């Protein structure tokens, strides 16, 4: 039997890959910066370098917040 952490890690990895593949296909550079995080380098309207950071998390606990 697989433990809950392994199952959550697999879900997170699946969606990180799906989103990263989509953004790459759109011409974006996608950098993996952590086990649950990707960053997209970008430039603002004034030419300043910046990053958009996307974090993938599978929350634990009940869905209703209790």
């Amino acid at each position: 039997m697989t433990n809950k952490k392994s199952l959550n890690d697999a879900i997170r990895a699946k969606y990180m890959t799906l989103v990263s593949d989509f953004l790459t296909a759109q011409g974006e550079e996608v950098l993996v910066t952590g086990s649950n995080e990707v960053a997209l380098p970008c430039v603002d309207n004034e030419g300043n370098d910046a990053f958009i950071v996307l974090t993938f998390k599978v929350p634990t606990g009940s869905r209703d917040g209790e």
Side-chain angles (χ1 to χ4, degrees):
M1 180 175 220
T2 307
N3 67 28
K4 187 67 173 168
K5 182 181 180 323
S6 295
L7 294 171
N8 287 345
D9 288 347
I11 291 170
R12 187 179 65 242
K14 173 186 173 182
Y15 285 95
M16 280 183 66
T17 299
L18 285 172
V19 170
S20 296
D21 289 349
F22 173 78
L23 292 169
T24 300
Q26 300 302 309
E28 298 292 338
E29 180 180 6
V30 179
L31 307 171
V32 177
T33 57
S35 64
N36 66 335
E37 187 176 273
V38 296
L40 299 109
C42 56
V43 178
D44 67 18
N45 290 338
E46 295 183 353
N48 300 306
D49 291 332
F51 287 92
I52 300 295
V53 176
L54 302 174
T55 303
F56 295 82
K57 180 179 176 182
V58 179
T60 57
S62 67
R63 295 185 308 169
D64 59 9
E66 293 180 11

